[in-house]
């Protein structure tokens, strides 16, 4: 009996089997991990082809069909997220091969792969799920694997940050679960179609509020970001890249879906979310300006970018909600690619120089030029300079805001952009001061695998800007999300 | 009959609540733990009465598990609080 | 006429709320755990009153039994590691009282809002009752909760086992080396007790697994009861995990997930999708999955209690600086 | 006064108490416990939603969900507690 293979099933089961194999055979874990990542990416491309050809596709697991069973569903947006996850994940894995090769990192190597593959299982599961309780279980898979990755280095700082992250994660998930309870009480079903069909009521509002607060906690929107900077700054480089580039996006994605199916009832709430985003941009920017360590600066820039994505969501108020998710999605993709590149580059710089104090970066005797170049390229996309994908995202954000006459969002975005120029140039100017100490030729590190992966990512972040139009067309497949259900 | 069984239930519950005072006030861990054990026994009794009242024979299984777990918890309490007992 | 059980319900509800408050406010952490265990068992009683014996079993065995043991173990470790009783309990940065009061008031408001929303929601509203009733004959089991867990929403259950796997991987990666908290000497009474209790627990655990197909019980409850065997063995030092047992342990951890996922994949084909068991074999497959998952749950919960990967002492490498 | 009303309010109260604890508790262990209380509160809500006036049997789906939730919560608790233990070991080593 040969099983019928479906790309959606493969996208979830391949990483799961990979995780099991990597856990059982710690010595071959890296090989298993890379092969799994490559195969998963292949499955996702297969799925993308299918979605391009025939629009949104559905698999009713167990043959029951929603609402009794659970359906997997892939449309343009979910495939875009899957592509982001597996492609960025593959490159981060390649970089991890190199950066976890030290003799004292045997333990990290042994556990990195199973945890990362479990994380991938959870994230792919989120992007394909159409059931809110299933989403709860998936975000818990993500949470546990992500905490495991955060504390991989075993330092006290990482453990403290990991514990805070764990508290925030569990609390966020439990708020979400409570929301699921209210949806069940009111609607009697838990699939997305049930959310769309449900009449507005006090219970549904409570459910929406609980789920949104839970997700905001998990995605670290200001002022619920308190756990993020320490957790992302203290993890090892590949883990930071995964956490910052990919993991926070899962909760963001659920947020986008939920607010499409259960529209926010009030203009004030949308403005409030935008205002929190503005707070994140300003506060995160200030903290990034003050950060003393490179990785901490990069982590604060994640807080800023998350804020920006929420501004993109709220940019044109209730009237623009049908369109604004696209700007948010573009920014999500842009940030995912660029931030992974930047964290990997920052990790390389820290490895080569031996520290990541921004103030002393220009005094280092070693010059990891390639990593510095990568960092600069990633900064271009994060600041939002043309032709990067970050630029397109910011542009469509401001375009929508201007069209609706919401000039305050334009102003905040501009301020945020100037601030990001300021804090990134703190780092870049240190890179450019060649004359302080001349690097001895012998100590100049050559080309390494760990440089190639982030460089590819950074170049992609810039290059994708040229493909913005096809990307936009692609994520609209199956839109509006609910129509095909 | 229903009324009688309900009265028994309430009495059992009250006996637990009385034991709670010991758990809360302590001061010795042994006192807290013994009160908890007493509760385990009362809970088994409550479950058995409930299985009659609610006509759910499956509750007898639940009671059995409660009884077993109470024994295991006792071991855990004693072994892991050993330092304080002395 | 009012149900005479209402008085019991009201008292129980009051006791549950009071215990929750007491557990959070009592000073002594040992008392906190004891209060929590009682709280959990009372919640289980409440769920019995709501005709949910399966949930009550799971809560009593896993939510309260295993969680309580984990908390106790951690408290034991904290007090051992810090040498004295109170040193570890002082927070690094005390939270100002004003902030705490503001937080509490905020939570109170949220709770009020939720209560209003709850009272406004339809009582005994729409549900899956009819759908489940219609699908039960095709599920391969007779107990609806088992049908939901292992057939209708088997995907959720698979992912739940994955969560358990992720937890044990994370715990093994977090804690390293041999246990440094010495286990106390066990007297002969305990050894005898363990010898008597173990077979009984094994029988009950297996019974729960078996009965799950038609009555409350099943893989999770059975697994948790069997995990109690592991706990007893570990507590009485009748079994001490050795480094060379790691392979077997790993195998036991992934057994449930692996078999579950494999079955789900392999049944696909011939017009069926993943998790769609052929009707003739549904019961066999479900029992197979349940059996394997039970083993995994029992071993994993016991390993979570033990907490650390058994590594030879010389391999202990500290990465912190 | 039916059980679902009584225990529904109980569940929400327990959730709220857990929330207060999660935000205000100072000891690490107590915060874990507070989160566990929240999860029990959420469990109450689902079980109450499933309840039907006897002799009708309750909806089994929420029961399955709560069982899943319980297992998920014990996993999360175990990880949080392992973090606490490891952190304590490291901190105690530094003090010594």
């Amino acid at each position: 009996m040969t099983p019928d293979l479906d790309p959606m099933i493969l996208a979830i089961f391949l990483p799961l089997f990979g995780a099991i194999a990597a856990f059982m055979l710690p010595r071959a874990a890296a090989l298993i991990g890379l092969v799994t990542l490559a195969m998963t990416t292949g499955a996702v491309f297969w799925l993308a082809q299918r979605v391009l050809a025939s629009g949104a596709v559905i698999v009713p697991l167990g043959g029951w069909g929603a609402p009794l069973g659970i359906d997997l569903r892939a449309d343009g947006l979910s495939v875009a997220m899957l592509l982001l996850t597996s492609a960025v994940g593959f490159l981060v894995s390649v970089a991890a091969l190199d950066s976890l090769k030290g003799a004292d990192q045997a333990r990290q190597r042994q556990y990195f792969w199973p945890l990362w593959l479990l994380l991938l299982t959870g994230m792919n599961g989120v992007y394909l799920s159409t059931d809110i309780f299933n989403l709860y279980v998936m975000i818990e898979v993500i949470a546990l694997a992500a905490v495991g990755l955060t504390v991989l280095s075993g330092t006290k700082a990482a453990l403290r940050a990991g514990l805070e992250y764990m508290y925030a994660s569990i609390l966020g998930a439990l708020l979400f679960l409570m929301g699921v309870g209210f949806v069940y009480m009111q609607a009697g079903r838990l699939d997305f179609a049930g959310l769309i069909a449900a009449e507005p009521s006090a219970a549904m509002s409570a459910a929406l509020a609980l789920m949104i607060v839970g997700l905001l906690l998990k995605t670290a929107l200001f002022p619920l970001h308190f756990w993020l900077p320490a957790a992302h700054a203290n993890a090892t480089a590949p883990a930071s890249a995964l956490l910052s580039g990919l993991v926070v996006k899962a909760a963001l994605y659920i947020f986008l879906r939920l607010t499409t199916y259960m529209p926010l009832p009030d203009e004030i709430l949308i403005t409030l979310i935008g205002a929190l985003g503005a707070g994140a941009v300003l506060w995160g920017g200030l903290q990034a300006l003050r950060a003393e360590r490179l990785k901490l600066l990069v982590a604060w820039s994640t807080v800023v970018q998350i804020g920006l994505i929420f501004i993109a969501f709220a940019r044109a108020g209730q009237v623009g909600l049908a369109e604004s998710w696209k700007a948010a999605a573009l920014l999500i993709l842009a940030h995912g690619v660029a931030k992974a590149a930047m964290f990997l580059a920052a990790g390389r710089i820290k490895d080569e120089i031996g520290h990541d104090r921004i103030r002393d970066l220009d005094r280092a005797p070693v010059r990891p030029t390639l990593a510095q170049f990568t960092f600069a390229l990633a900064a271009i996309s994060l600041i939002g300079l043309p032709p990067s994908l970050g630029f397109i995202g910011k542009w469509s954000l401001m375009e929508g805001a201007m069209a609706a006459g919401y000039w305050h969002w334009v102003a905040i975005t501009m301020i945020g952009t100037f601030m990001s120029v300021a804090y990134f140039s703190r780092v870049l100017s240190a890179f450019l001061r060649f004359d302080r100490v001349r690097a001895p030729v012998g100590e100049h590190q050559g080309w390494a695998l760990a440089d190639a992966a982030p460089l590819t990512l950074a170049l992609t972040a810039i290059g994708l800007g040229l493909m913005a139009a096809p990307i936009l067309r692609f994520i609209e497949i199956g839109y509006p999300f609910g129509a095909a259900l | 009959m229903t009324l009688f069984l309900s009265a028994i239930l309430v009495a059992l519950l009250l006996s637990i609540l009385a034991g709670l005072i010991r758990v809360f006030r302590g001061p010795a861990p042994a006192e807290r733990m013994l009160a908890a054990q007493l509760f385990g026994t009362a809970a088994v009794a409550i479950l058995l009465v409930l299985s009659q009242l609610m006509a759910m024979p499956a509750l007898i299984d639940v009671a059995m598990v409660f009884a077993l777990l109470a024994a295991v918890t006792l071991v855990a309490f004693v072994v892991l609080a050993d330092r304080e007992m002395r | 006429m009012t149900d005479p059980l209402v008085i019991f319900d009201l008292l129980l509800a009051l006791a549950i709320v009071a215990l929750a408050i007491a557990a959070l406010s009592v000073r002594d952490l040992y008392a906190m755990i004891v209060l929590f265990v009682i709280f959990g068992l009372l919640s289980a009683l409440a769920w019995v009153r709501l005709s949910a014996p399966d949930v009550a079993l799971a809560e009593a065995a896993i939510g309260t039994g295993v969680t309580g043991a984990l908390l106790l173990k951690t408290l034991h470790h904290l007090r051992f590691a810090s040498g004295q009783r109170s040193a570890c309990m002082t927070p690094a940065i005390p939270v100002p009282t004003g902030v705490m009061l503001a937080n509490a008031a905020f939570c109170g408001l949220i709770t009020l809002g939720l209560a209003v929303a709850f009272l406004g929601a339809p009582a005994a509203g729409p549900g899956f009752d009819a759908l489940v009733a219609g699908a039960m004959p095709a599920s391969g089991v007779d107990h609806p909760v088992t049908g939901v867990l292992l057939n209708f929403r088997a995907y959720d259950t698979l992912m739940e086992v994955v969560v358990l796997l992720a937890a044990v991987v994370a715990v093994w990666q977090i804690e390293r080396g041999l246990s440094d908290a010495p286990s106390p000497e066990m007297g002969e009474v305990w050894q005898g007790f363990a010898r008597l209790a173990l077979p009984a627990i094994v029988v009950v655990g297996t019974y729960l697994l078996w009965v799950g197909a038609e009555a409350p019980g099943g893989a999770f409850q059975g697994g948790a009861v069997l995990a109690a065997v592991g706990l007893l063995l570990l507590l009485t030092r009748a079994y001490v995990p050795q480094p060379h047992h790691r392979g077997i342990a790993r195998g036991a951890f992934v057994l449930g997930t692996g078999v579950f996922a494999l079955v789900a994949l392999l049944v696909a084909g011939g017009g069926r999708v993943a998790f769609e068991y052929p009707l003739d074999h549904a019961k066999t497959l479900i029992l197979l999955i349940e059996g394997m998952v039970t083993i995994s749950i029992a071993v994993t919960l016991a390993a979570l209690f033990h907490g650390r990967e058994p590594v030879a002492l010389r391999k202990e490498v500290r990465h912190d600086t | 006064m039916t059980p679902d009303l009584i225990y529904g309010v109980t569940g929400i109260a327990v959730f709220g108490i857990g929330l207060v604890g999660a935000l205000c508790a100072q000891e690490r262990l107590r915060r874990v416990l507070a989160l566990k209380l929240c999860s029990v509160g959420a469990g109450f809500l689902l079980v109450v939603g499933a309840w039907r006036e006897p002799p009708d049997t309750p909806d089994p789906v929420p029961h399955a969900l709560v069982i899943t939730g319980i297992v998920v919560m014990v996993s999360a608790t175990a990880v949080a507690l392992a973090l606490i233990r490891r952190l304590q070991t490291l901190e105690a080593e530094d003090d010594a």
Side-chain angles (χ1 to χ4, degrees):
Chain A
M1 179 163 77
T2 47
D4 269 355
L5 290 181
D6 181 278
M8 275 194 264
I9 302 284
L10 285 181
I12 293 168
F13 277 60
L14 278 176
L16 179 56
F17 284 120
I20 291 176
F23 183 57
M24 289 303 290
L25 307 165
R27 282 187 198 161
L31 181 68
I32 294 169
L34 270 192
V35 171
T36 309
L37 254 301
M39 285 167 70
T40 311
T41 314
V44 173
F45 271 106
W46 181 14
L47 180 63
Q49 209 182 13
R50 205 171 261 196
V51 169
L52 263 180
S54 52
V57 281
I58 292 179
V59 175
L61 291 177
W64 300 106
L68 178 61
I70 299 169
D71 287 353
L72 297 183
R73 179 174 183 274
D75 58 15
L77 181 62
S78 40
V79 173
M81 297 303 294
L82 286 171
L83 277 174
L84 170 78
T85 309
S86 50
V88 172
F90 179 72
L91 287 167
V92 174
S93 305
V94 172
L97 272 190
D98 218 22
S99 65
L100 290 179
K101 65 173 182 241
D104 56 337
Q105 285 163 319
R107 208 188 153 79
Q108 295 192 30
R109 222 173 18 244
Q110 179 186 345
Y111 283 104
F112 174 78
W113 295 101
L115 285 171
W116 156 219
L117 290 171
L118 285 171
L119 180 68
L120 184 64
T121 313
M123 281 195 292
N124 286 355
V126 163
Y127 299 138
L128 292 172
S129 182
T130 62
D131 184 284
I132 50 175
F133 185 79
N134 182 246
L135 281 175
Y136 161 74
V137 182
M138 288 302 179
I139 56 181
E140 291 279 21
V141 175
I142 294 178
L144 294 196
V147 168
L149 285 176
T150 309
V151 300
L152 207 57
S153 62
T155 61
K156 223 174 355 166
L159 281 162
R160 284 215 182 96
L163 188 59
E164 281 302 314
Y165 180 22
M166 189 75 206
Y167 287 138
S169 257
I170 303 181
L171 186 59
L174 287 175
L175 287 167
F176 192 86
L177 180 64
M178 197 71 179
V180 172
F182 273 106
V183 170
Y184 172 77
M185 291 215 71
Q186 182 68 38
R189 53 196 284 193
L190 300 167
D191 54 328
F192 284 166
L195 293 186
I196 297 168
E199 298 287 322
S201 68
M204 288 308 264
S205 308
L208 186 63
L210 284 165
M211 290 195 280
I212 285 185
V213 174
L215 290 172
L216 295 188
L217 187 58
K218 278 182 111 60
T219 198
L221 176 64
F222 175 87
L224 303 174
H225 66 281
F226 54 88
W227 56 268
L228 185 141
H232 288 191
N234 285 307
T236 41
S240 299
L242 294 174
L243 291 170
S244 227
L246 302 178
V247 172
V248 286
K249 304 299 164 9
L252 259 173
Y253 166 88
I254 303 176
F255 174 84
L256 278 188
R257 288 268 173 194
L258 275 186
T259 46
T260 315
Y261 299 140
M262 304 166 74
L264 288 171
D266 209 349
E267 183 82 30
I268 298 171
L269 287 177
I270 299 173
T271 315
L272 178 69
I273 286 180
L276 294 182
V281 169
L282 299 178
W283 179 249
L286 274 178
Q287 294 297 321
L289 279 172
R290 291 178 46 203
E292 287 179 5
R293 287 178 181 271
L294 184 59
K295 286 187 76 175
L296 195 60
L297 184 148
V298 182
W300 276 111
S301 124
T302 299
V303 173
V304 172
Q305 293 280 328
I306 302 263
L308 207 57
I309 292 166
F310 278 100
I311 294 181
F313 168 81
R315 59 168 192 181
Q318 214 153 17
V319 270
L321 221 49
E323 288 294 309
S324 57
W325 68 273
K326 282 185 235 163
L330 279 183
L331 280 171
I332 290 178
L333 296 176
H335 179 248
V337 180
K339 189 47 66 71
M342 186 173 263
F343 255 122
L344 287 178
R348 280 290 291 161
I349 293 168
K350 187 180 175 185
D351 278 356
E352 296 283 303
I353 298 183
H355 68 80
D356 68 342
R357 289 186 300 278
I358 297 172
R359 190 193 294 239
D360 301 330
L361 277 181
D362 53 351
R363 295 203 183 87
V366 198
R367 219 155 264 296
T369 21
L370 214 49
Q372 292 178 341
F373 180 57
T374 307
F375 192 96
L377 285 182
I380 288 178
S381 182
L382 288 177
I383 292 171
L385 297 177
S388 66
L389 192 58
F391 165 73
I392 308 283
K394 265 193 187 169
W395 180 251
S396 67
L397 184 174
M398 292 206 276
E399 206 178 33
M402 283 189 273
Y406 284 57
W407 293 96
H408 47 287
W409 296 141
V410 181
I412 295 280
T413 313
M414 293 309 287
I415 295 173
T417 307
F418 289 131
M419 284 174 91
S420 64
V421 171
Y423 56 74
F424 281 130
S425 44
R426 286 177 64 207
V427 182
L428 297 179
S429 64
F431 289 165
L432 292 174
R433 262 178 246 150
F434 289 107
D435 47 339
R436 276 285 185 80
V437 182
R438 184 64 68 183
V441 182
E443 287 192 38
H444 191 90
Q445 298 283 326
W447 194 87
L449 202 54
D451 281 326
L455 186 61
T456 317
L457 281 172
L459 287 172
T460 314
I462 294 193
L464 279 180
L466 303 173
M467 296 182 36
I471 293 177
L472 266 178
R473 266 203 305 283
F474 185 78
I475 60 176
E476 274 179 50
I477 296 176
Y479 179 83
F481 308 142
L485 280 170
Chain B
M1 188 63 184
T2 317
L3 204 65
F4 175 64
L5 287 179
S6 306
I8 290 184
L9 278 182
V10 172
L12 283 168
L13 196 58
L14 283 176
S15 81
I16 292 174
L17 297 186
L20 277 184
I21 299 170
R22 249 316 105 197
V23 181
F24 197 76
R25 305 265 312 269
E31 288 166 290
R32 303 185 202 278
M33 191 198 62
L34 277 176
Q37 286 302 311
L38 194 69
F39 164 71
T41 317
V44 170
I46 289 180
L47 277 171
L48 291 177
V49 176
L50 273 179
S51 86
Q52 196 68 40
L53 260 182
M54 298 176 66
M56 288 171 72
L59 293 186
I60 298 176
D61 290 357
V62 183
M64 178 176 68
V65 172
F66 267 51
L68 261 184
L69 286 178
V72 179
T73 337
L74 181 71
V75 178
F77 273 138
V78 171
V79 172
L80 294 176
D82 188 60
R83 282 164 48 82
E84 290 157 63
M85 297 282 180
R86 272 182 264 142
Chain C
M1 150 198 158
T2 45
D3 196 337
L5 278 172
V6 164
I7 303 168
F8 174 76
D9 286 334
L10 280 175
L11 261 180
L12 187 55
L14 271 179
I16 288 171
V17 174
L19 273 166
I21 296 174
L24 284 181
S25 54
V26 71
R27 256 198 137 67
D28 183 53
L29 286 179
Y30 182 80
M32 175 187 88
I33 297 172
V34 174
L35 286 169
F36 162 71
V37 168
I38 301 178
F39 163 85
L41 293 183
L42 284 183
S43 309
L45 280 185
W47 291 347
V48 163
R49 278 291 297 135
L50 291 165
S51 322
D54 300 82
V55 186
L57 265 179
E59 172 64 29
I62 306 175
T64 303
V66 178
T67 308
L70 281 168
L71 286 167
L72 264 180
K73 157 116 183 169
T74 308
L75 181 64
H76 176 65
H77 183 95
L78 293 189
R79 291 189 173 167
F80 174 79
S82 60
Q84 66 248 40
R85 259 195 212 185
S86 52
C88 60
M89 306 311 161
T90 44
I93 313 151
V95 184
T97 322
V99 174
M100 290 200 9
L101 283 180
N103 274 343
F106 179 63
C107 295
L109 274 179
I110 293 177
T111 313
L112 266 184
L114 292 184
V116 170
F118 167 75
L119 295 175
F128 297 90
D129 310 69
L131 284 169
V132 173
M136 272 318 284
S139 72
V141 286
D142 299 326
H143 185 52
V145 176
T146 309
V148 174
L149 273 175
L150 285 142
N151 203 335
F152 310 141
R153 295 183 71 99
Y155 177 53
D156 269 351
T157 311
L158 171 66
M159 285 304 154
E160 158 191 1
V161 190
V162 172
V163 171
L164 208 55
L165 178 63
V168 79
V169 177
V171 167
W172 268 25
Q173 120 57 34
I174 290 162
E175 284 204 80
R176 36 198 90 177
L178 293 166
S179 169
D180 37 11
S183 243
E185 287 296 310
M186 299 298 296
E188 280 168 25
V189 179
W190 288 123
Q191 308 284 357
F193 170 78
R195 221 169 290 138
L196 281 176
L198 287 182
I201 301 174
V202 174
V203 170
V204 172
T206 322
Y207 165 75
L208 279 181
L209 166 67
W210 179 252
V211 84
E214 57 254 15
F220 297 103
Q221 296 87 346
V225 170
L226 287 179
V229 176
L231 255 63
L232 269 185
L233 289 175
L234 288 167
L235 279 170
T236 55
R237 308 282 282 177
Y239 168 70
V240 181
Q242 299 296 327
H244 60 270
H245 295 167
R246 269 182 299 179
I248 302 170
R250 284 202 191 98
F253 298 156
V254 303
L255 182 68
T257 317
V259 171
F260 201 159
L262 264 183
V263 169
L265 262 191
L266 290 179
V267 293
R272 281 192 302 272
V273 296
F275 292 100
E276 189 171 1
Y277 317 122
L279 187 53
D280 307 341
H281 305 294
K283 176 152 191 176
T284 325
L285 288 175
I286 287 180
L287 268 183
L288 171 75
I289 293 172
E290 277 208 295
M292 298 302 128
V293 167
T294 305
I295 296 175
S296 277
I297 289 177
V299 178
T300 308
L301 288 178
L304 289 178
F305 175 75
H306 183 65
R308 54 188 70 229
E309 178 181 3
V311 206
L313 200 54
R314 62 189 160 76
K315 282 197 179 169
E316 164 85 339
V317 182
R318 283 202 45 190
H319 297 289
D320 43 293
T321 40
Chain D
M1 285 256 250
T2 44
D4 61 336
L5 191 71
I6 298 173
Y7 292 120
V9 174
T10 312
I12 290 185
V14 169
F15 184 82
I17 294 164
L19 212 54
V20 175
L23 298 184
C24 299
Q26 312 214 346
E27 296 107 321
R28 289 169 180 155
L29 214 54
R30 208 182 290 270
R31 281 177 82 183
V32 175
L33 187 92
L35 291 171
K36 170 67 197 170
L37 292 188
C38 282
S39 91
V40 173
F44 261 103
L45 191 68
L46 277 164
V47 174
V48 163
W51 188 78
R52 305 283 181 265
E53 186 83 43
D56 288 353
T57 49
D59 183 356
V61 173
H63 289 185
L65 303 187
V66 178
I67 293 175
T68 304
I70 290 171
V71 177
V72 166
M73 194 60 202
V74 81
S75 315
T77 309
V79 174
L81 292 178
L83 281 171
I84 292 175
R85 288 197 296 266
R86 180 69 186 162
L87 204 47
Q88 186 69 34
T89 310
L90 292 183
E91 282 169 357
E93 278 173 14
D94 284 4
D95 292 345

